[in-house]
Amino acid sequence: MLIKKAPDLRYSDVTPKSLYFNRRQFLAGVPAAVVGGAGLLSPSRRALAATTKLTTVKSPLSTTGEKITPEDDVTHYNNYYEFGTGKEEPAQLAKNFRTSPWTVSIEGDCAKPCKLSVEELMKLAPLEERIYRHRCVEAWSIVVPWIGFSLSKLLDYVQPNSKAKFVAFETLYDPKQMLSPAQAGIPLPYVEGLRLDEAMHPLALLCFGMYGTTLPPQDGAPVRMVIPWKYGFKSIKSIVKVRLVSSQPPATWNEYAGNEYGFYSNVNPNRDHPRWSQKTERRLGEFFKRPTLMFNGYGDQVASLYKGMDLIKYY
Ligand SMILES: Nc1nc2c(c(=O)[nH]1)N[C@H]1C(S)=C(S)[C@@H](COP(=O)(O)O)O[C@H]1N2
Ligand SMILES: [Mo]
């Protein structure tokens, strides 16, 4: 995501990944030189917070035929404005973020509102490994083996009532551990929303891990959303609240600049961002751009949710 007062493209956005990667390795190598006894880990991995292995089952909803993006790229090229607006900042600034104990409150228009610890949440359904393409509105993309289960499992558990039409999500905001809204450049806490039928779609993933382990803090630990047919900013990180509501809830980037970031935010190569094209994207680690696909390539599964809607108007 780009903030209006910042230059549109940063060094890391315009630099081919190979050059950018080398610069990062150089920077990461400095502290690594003084750390002993972790010889099997790459220099950049040594700096990361500890994660725990998760046992998963394979998912039929996994995207096939895509090369998985190297984990090290995914964990060092992040958008998480609470921990910095630069792509390399979250890996460093979120390192000591406290993600345990952690409670998520599920509330609003449902029969069984509750507060669940992450451990309790994770027991609601078998953990699946799901490979998804993830497309940032800034025109870069990644392919990640996420771990979690459909958000519908949680929604079924709390039983939305007939008033519930949307789901509102909220990220933790802890000013002691995170930047101020002025430093982050956006209002905090970060909030997002989905229409209830979108939230119930099996592809909408409640995510606890990636690459075989729990999430590292910069990728949204301990629990986040991953919504593969929408631009990345809909995939809210480090969730503390899920609220069933009757009208469309506010969403951070939509509130910040509604003419640039719509509520729906479906990946749409035919609807350019006012300041850049959405027709192509750069996969992290690759040099040549590739065409961006409608609904990020998930149209067969999700297009029916938007039947009869003008997706240029409802961007
Ligand atoms: N709380 C919060 N969630 C967030 C963001 C953020 O700044 N804060 N950035 C979003 C954006 S723009 C993207 S592209 C994805 C990036 O996820 P990743 O860093 O795991 O690739 O997280 C999304 N979720
Ligand atoms: Mo993004």
Side-chain angles (χ1 to χ4, degrees), residues 228-296:
W229 71 95
K230 292 179 180 284
Y231 290 121
F233 63 89
K234 296 296 282 185
S235 293
I236 183 171
K237 294 175 170 179
S238 308
I239 296 167
V240 288
K241 202 182 284 183
V242 178
R243 191 174 174 82
L244 288 142
V245 294
S246 54
S247 53
Q248 185 176 301
T252 293
W253 285 99
N254 180 237
E255 293 274 295
Y256 180 80
N259 60 326
E260 302 191 9
Y261 312 106
F263 176 79
Y264 282 93
S265 307
N266 290 319
V267 174
N268 186 348
N270 306 316
R271 205 283 180 188
D272 286 339
H273 184 280
R275 292 181 286 134
W276 61 85
S277 166
Q278 295 293 25
K279 287 188 176 53
T280 61
E281 66 198 59
R282 195 194 304 281
R283 190 65 53 87
L284 289 198
E286 293 180 6
F287 183 76
F288 291 106
K289 291 188 176 175
R290 53 171 74 216
T292 285
L293 305 173
M294 187 66 204
F295 297 115
N296 202 23

Side-chain angles (χ1 to χ4, degrees), residues 7-288:
D8 270 10
L9 290 173
R10 295 164 199 284
Y11 174 82
S12 55
D13 294 314
V14 295
T15 307
K17 189 65 185 173
S18 53
L19 302 181
Y20 158 73
F21 187 76
N22 288 339
R23 185 175 70 105
R24 196 184 73 215
Q25 291 258 297
F26 171 75
L27 295 173
V30 177
V34 297
V35 179
L40 290 175
L41 301 174
S42 72
S44 50
R45 281 300 276 173
R46 267 182 227 182
L48 288 186
T51 52
T52 310
K53 203 177 172 305
L54 292 173
T55 306
T56 59
V57 297
K58 297 265 173 249
S59 170
L61 295 174
S62 248
T63 303
T64 55
E66 292 277 12
K67 188 171 155 288
I68 288 174
T69 305
E71 180 179 6
D72 199 65
D73 289 355
V74 172
T75 55
H76 290 83
Y77 194 85
N78 299 104
N79 274 335
Y80 198 163
Y81 274 48
E82 291 90 329
F83 293 108
T85 53
K87 298 286 182 266
E88 298 165 72
E89 281 176 312
Q92 302 308 321
L93 299 181
K95 221 182 311 188
N96 300 317
F97 180 45
R98 283 192 305 278
T99 58
S100 172
W102 192 279
T103 305
V104 181
S105 173
I106 307 100
E107 50 189 58
D109 294 323
C110 60
K112 294 188 170 168
C114 56
K115 289 183 174 29
L116 296 176
S117 68
V118 167
E119 293 74 19
E120 289 168 324
L121 263 180
M122 284 172 77
K123 285 188 195 130
L124 290 182
L127 291 177
E128 299 170 21
E129 178 174 89
R130 288 231 197 128
I131 298 164
Y132 281 165
R133 286 181 290 269
H134 176 95
R135 176 32 164 102
C136 178
V137 72
E138 292 166 287
W140 51 269
S141 62
I142 48 182
V143 179
V144 179
W146 303 106
I147 296 172
F149 47 74
S150 299
L151 176 69
S152 65
K153 308 276 184 190
L154 173 61
L155 297 176
D156 286 342
Y157 180 77
V158 299
Q159 298 169 23
N161 63 31
S162 61
K163 279 194 282 172
K165 298 284 181 273
F166 292 85
V167 183
F169 302 89
E170 193 173 307
T171 296
L172 176 79
Y173 181 55
D174 180 357
K176 291 201 207 70
Q177 300 191 76
M178 292 164 162
L179 300 180
S180 69
Q183 289 169 315
I186 51 173
L188 298 174
Y190 195 99
V191 291
E192 257 305 338
L194 294 170
R195 227 168 50 193
L196 184 59
D197 60 341
E198 298 180 306
M200 287 298 289
H201 192 283
L203 283 178
L205 187 74
L206 186 66
C207 173
F208 303 93
M210 60 189 214
Y211 296 92
T213 71
T214 52
L215 290 164
Q218 66 269 36
D219 287 284
V223 57
R224 68 175 294 174
M225 285 301 299
V226 181
I227 307 141
W229 71 95
K230 292 179 180 284
Y231 290 121
F233 63 89
K234 296 296 282 185
S235 293
I236 183 171
K237 294 175 170 179
S238 308
I239 296 167
V240 288
K241 202 182 284 183
V242 178
R243 191 174 174 82
L244 288 142
V245 294
S246 54
S247 53
Q248 185 176 301
T252 293
W253 285 99
N254 180 237
E255 293 274 295
Y256 180 80
N259 60 326
E260 302 191 9
Y261 312 106
F263 176 79
Y264 282 93
S265 307
N266 290 319
V267 174
N268 186 348
N270 306 316
R271 205 283 180 188
D272 286 339
H273 184 280
R275 292 181 286 134
W276 61 85
S277 166
Q278 295 293 25
K279 287 188 176 53
T280 61
E281 66 198 59
R282 195 194 304 281
R283 190 65 53 87
L284 289 198
E286 293 180 6
F287 183 76
F288 291 106

